[in-house]
Amino acid sequence: MNHKGIALGIVAAASVMSCIHRPPTDLTMENLIPKPVLVVATAKVFELTDESGVFIADDSPELQFVGEYLAERLRPATGFEVNVASTKVAPKAGSIFLSLSDDAELGDEGYEIDITDNLINIKANKPAGLFWAVQTMRQLLPPKVERNTIQSGPWEISTGTIRDFPSYPFRGSMLDVARHFFSVADVKRYVDLISLYKMNVLHLHLSDDQGWRIEIKSWPNLTKHGGSTQVGGGKGGYYTQEEYKELVKYAQDRYITIIPEIDMPGHSNAALASYPELNCDGKATALYTGTEVGFSSLCTTSEITYKFIDDVVREMSAITPGPYLHIGGDESDATKREHYIPFVARVRDIVKSHGKQVIGWEETAQINMNEKRPEDGINVDAAAKAAAASSIAQFWKNPVHAHEAVNNGSKLVMSPATKMYLDMQYDSTTKLGLHWAAYIEVDSAYMWSPVTFVEGITRENILGIEAPLWSETVTNMDEIEYMIFPRIIGLAEIGWSPEEGRSWDEYKIRLGNHGPRMEAQGIDYYKSAQVPWVE
Ligand code: TNX
């Protein structure tokens, strides 16, 4: 072999070597989702080793939880001990250091990660910011870090700085546990899955025609009878208040607020079947296991109905530390409009009297009716307008309702069915799901803006976004994962990241790099042909 041949041989060997192990050196090339506000690279490498520890700046339970959460994510795949300890001084080289700072731009949920070749420094104003930083940290390590068994290293991270904070304070998903019931373990996994992408709200749709899923001690037949079945006639189920509290705590530890929804006056057959007195004719309905909507209504003209609602709202408020209670209010086609409007006004007052802020589906924004409230002669328009102003309306379909909400002075949560409904089929071949709103391929779920979606609605009117998963066709965790992933990843980015410069062509590359990450976590995702999945 001549010199040239030897030289080529060395180059070839080096490039084979580099395939086996090429350290990451450009932090800006990481495929982070949601995309951070700012990433600056300094072209060196930090290595996590069996000497590395997690240090927290104080002993508060919140910092301990976040520190331990981070360590727990690192231990199984690295096999390292990853001790968590508090320190008042600069921690030893090779460590990750979590501390609270005072940095106005970062707000309540933002964070900064500074990575040098011997230390990772994570700062935030609040523990929530540190928690979201930890979710970013996971994405800076190879996907195999997500596996439950020991993987080979090295565990390297490119150096530089990430500064990041959310666009919207409300970034959520809804899980319908009424049409099909899902276990406490399933809901915990759902919490873990949405927290990966920095969502901070889980809306639980707890009651509907097909099932009542939360124990109400003063009305026990709601769950005993009303929770006994589901779509298709399966056995249904419900959460005891203790189980619900456990879910709330689990979510809270992950900086996720649970919003419970009791849907009324429509979508209420499970309650109507459980208590005859909630029906205007005094007769209990039969349990329902089909998928029609719009046929049921609580008896809005009877006092017992408001006693019932007061009891339910009192019990729910007592076990819900979050600020919101969702009253449903959608598709009440079996309730006359002149009954619906005063009903919603009265329910708002009940919810407020128990210290909670009302969220309702967009229909609840309709308050314009020249009618006196029967019991006190107050003009519904004036009283209802005041109550509506402090309520939140969840847009899903009708721009007229979105404008009504804004005119009332309400903020909007955006859940446009044609973009965000995770029960919509990807295309006509998708085995699960519906398509009444649209087929929503992965690009379509990503290519839209909450700010321009409804003409005349502006950024200031919008509190945030929420991606609902209705469960008429979805029966287990694998199916949940298939419908929500990967669309929910792009929706989470719409909620968190700055909109400027957003492009599907750029995003789909990043998303493709999350395939191995989802696989490592056992997520059953839809492998859309639109995405260049990395093997
Ligand atoms: C409409 S969206 C509903 C739900 C259904 C869903 C199915 C909304 C507020 N109501 O009752 O489950 O469509 O996609």
Side-chain angles (χ1 to χ4, degrees):
M1 203 190 278
N2 61 23
H3 284 297
K4 210 169 163 193
I6 292 169
L8 279 174
I10 292 169
V11 170
S15 67
V16 168
M17 289 281 294
S18 74
C19 285
I20 298 165
H21 170 53
R22 185 178 50 225
T25 50
D26 186 352
L27 190 63
T28 64
M29 295 300 285
E30 295 299 336
N31 296 290
L32 297 169
I33 308 179
K35 191 179 193 156
V37 172
L38 182 77
V39 182
V40 178
T42 51
K44 290 193 186 128
V45 175
F46 169 95
E47 185 173 359
L48 194 77
T49 68
D50 53 5
E51 297 288 301
S52 301
V54 172
F55 288 88
I56 52 179
D58 70 66
D59 263 334
S60 67
E62 291 96 335
L63 258 66
Q64 271 177 10
F65 182 88
V66 178
E68 193 47 48
Y69 179 92
L70 168 59
E72 206 31 66
R73 305 280 85 64
L74 302 175
R75 284 174 191 139
T78 62
F80 302 154
E81 226 173 283
V82 201
N83 285 315
V84 180
S86 69
T87 179
K88 296 276 170 247
V89 296
K92 66 174 187 204
S95 304
I96 304 173
F97 185 43
L98 305 173
S99 64
L100 295 176
S101 59
D102 187 6
D103 183 335
E105 192 193 29
L106 299 180
D108 287 348
E109 294 187 284
Y111 62 88
E112 180 170 313
I113 307 179
D114 288 300
I115 308 156
T116 66
D117 49 6
N118 68 52
L119 190 69
I120 299 183
N121 222 322
I122 304 181
K123 290 187 218 141
N125 296 331
K126 301 267 172 72
L130 296 177
F131 185 79
W132 301 134
V134 166
Q135 301 299 29
T136 300
M137 285 290 307
R138 294 167 75 169
Q139 294 187 18
L140 295 175
L141 285 159
K144 61 189 172 187
V145 75
E146 301 294 344
R147 296 202 179 269
N148 285 327
T149 53
I150 296 189
Q151 309 290 312
S152 57
W155 303 97
E156 291 167 324
I157 298 179
S158 339
T159 61
T161 296
I162 298 173
R163 267 180 81 78
D164 199 13
F165 47 86
S167 279
Y168 293 98
F170 186 117
R171 308 174 305 279
S173 181
M174 186 205 81
L175 179 62
D176 173 5
V177 297
R179 270 53 176 273
H180 281 97
F181 181 67
F182 301 102
S183 69
V184 170
D186 286 344
V187 179
K188 285 183 177 171
R189 178 156 168 95
Y190 202 93
V191 164
D192 285 329
L193 295 178
I194 68 172
S195 82
L196 282 171
Y197 295 97
K198 304 186 176 74
M199 282 189 163
N200 63 359
V201 166
L202 175 62
H203 166 184
L204 289 176
H205 184 73
L206 290 168
S207 71
D208 212 302
D209 292 318
Q210 299 86 346
W212 185 286
R213 308 298 181 205
I214 180 72
E215 175 189 25
I216 301 295
K217 294 186 199 270
S218 53
W219 295 75
N221 214 35
L222 289 171
T223 44
K224 190 166 177 282
H225 185 63
S228 64
T229 191
Q230 58 183 0
V231 166
K235 82 169 175 38
Y238 66 90
Y239 311 117
T240 64
Q241 293 198 359
E242 285 310 307
E243 287 170 327
Y244 176 84
K245 285 194 233 171
E246 182 186 328
L247 286 174
V248 166
K249 171 78 169 72
Y250 190 86
Q252 219 170 23
D253 281 343
R254 287 150 186 78
Y255 298 92
I256 291 178
T257 300
I258 291 210
I259 301 180
E261 176 186 353
I262 303 296
D263 204 345
M264 53 191 149
H267 289 282
S268 54
N269 185 70
L272 298 170
S274 306
Y275 286 99
E277 59 268 45
L278 298 177
N279 297 269
C280 284
D281 65 4
K283 291 198 192 94
T285 59
L287 290 171
Y288 181 70
T289 60
T291 60
E292 295 297 311
V293 296
F295 61 87
S296 59
S297 180
L298 295 174
C299 187
T300 54
T301 52
S302 128
E303 277 312 300
I304 186 80
T305 296
Y306 299 94
K307 164 84 174 101
F308 164 75
I309 294 168
D310 190 66
D311 287 339
V312 170
V313 172
R314 179 183 335 97
E315 291 195 32
M316 290 312 300
S317 300
I319 55 176
T320 302
Y324 309 113
L325 205 137
H326 201 303
I327 62 170
D330 55 316
E331 299 175 315
S332 293
D333 305 340
T335 318
K336 288 198 184 111
R337 184 178 163 80
E338 64 265 35
H339 292 156
Y340 177 86
I341 290 174
F343 171 85
V344 170
R346 210 168 152 184
V347 173
R348 280 195 218 282
D349 291 349
I350 293 173
V351 172
K352 288 172 74 179
S353 78
H354 292 288
K356 295 296 172 192
Q357 188 176 8
V358 174
I359 304 191
W361 292 106
E362 65 186 30
E363 291 93 324
T364 58
Q366 310 167 86
I367 60 168
N368 249 336
M369 198 182 66
N370 294 316
E371 191 186 80
K372 302 278 181 191
R373 236 200 282 202
E375 79 280 18
D376 55 16
I378 292 173
N379 183 303
V380 169
D381 275 343
K385 185 156 174 146
S390 62
S391 303
I392 294 159
Q394 187 168 6
F395 169 81
W396 60 283
K397 189 170 77 172
N398 189 343
V400 172
H401 294 151
H403 283 280
E404 282 174 310
V406 168
N407 290 339
N408 295 343
S410 301
K411 293 256 187 211
L412 292 168
V413 168
M414 301 299 285
S415 299
T418 55
K419 295 291 177 185
M420 296 195 83
Y421 269 30
L422 298 170
D423 65 318
M424 290 299 122
Q425 292 166 300
Y426 292 97
D427 63 26
S428 61
T429 68
T430 311
K431 295 207 173 58
L432 302 166
L434 309 172
H435 58 260
W436 65 262
Y439 292 115
I440 311 179
E441 248 296 357
V442 182
D443 62 348
S444 172
Y446 184 75
M447 290 194 288
W448 66 283
S449 159
V451 182
T452 55
F453 194 83
V454 179
E455 223 190 298
I457 298 295
T458 62
R459 180 76 172 73
E460 299 73 63
N461 305 136
I462 300 172
L463 181 63
I465 61 160
E466 186 187 288
L469 179 66
W470 299 101
S471 64
E472 286 95 333
T473 65
V474 176
T475 70
N476 61 42
M477 198 66 215
D478 286 348
E479 293 176 355
I480 288 177
E481 291 172 10
Y482 185 81
M483 293 311 281
I484 75 174
F485 283 99
R487 291 182 289 201
I488 200 164
I489 300 179
L491 295 168
E493 175 153 303
I494 289 174
W496 179 282
S497 305
E499 196 173 319
E500 203 193 337
R502 187 170 294 156
S503 117
W504 164 252
D505 285 330
E506 183 272 336
Y507 169 72
K508 72 179 180 193
I509 309 288
R510 276 185 293 131
L511 180 58
N513 278 279
H514 280 241
R517 226 164 260 288
M518 286 189 275
E519 267 146 44
Q521 293 175 84
I523 298 173
D524 286 295
Y525 65 101
Y526 164 61
K527 244 184 159 168
S528 169
Q530 297 182 325
V531 180
W533 299 107
V534 167
E535 286 311 322

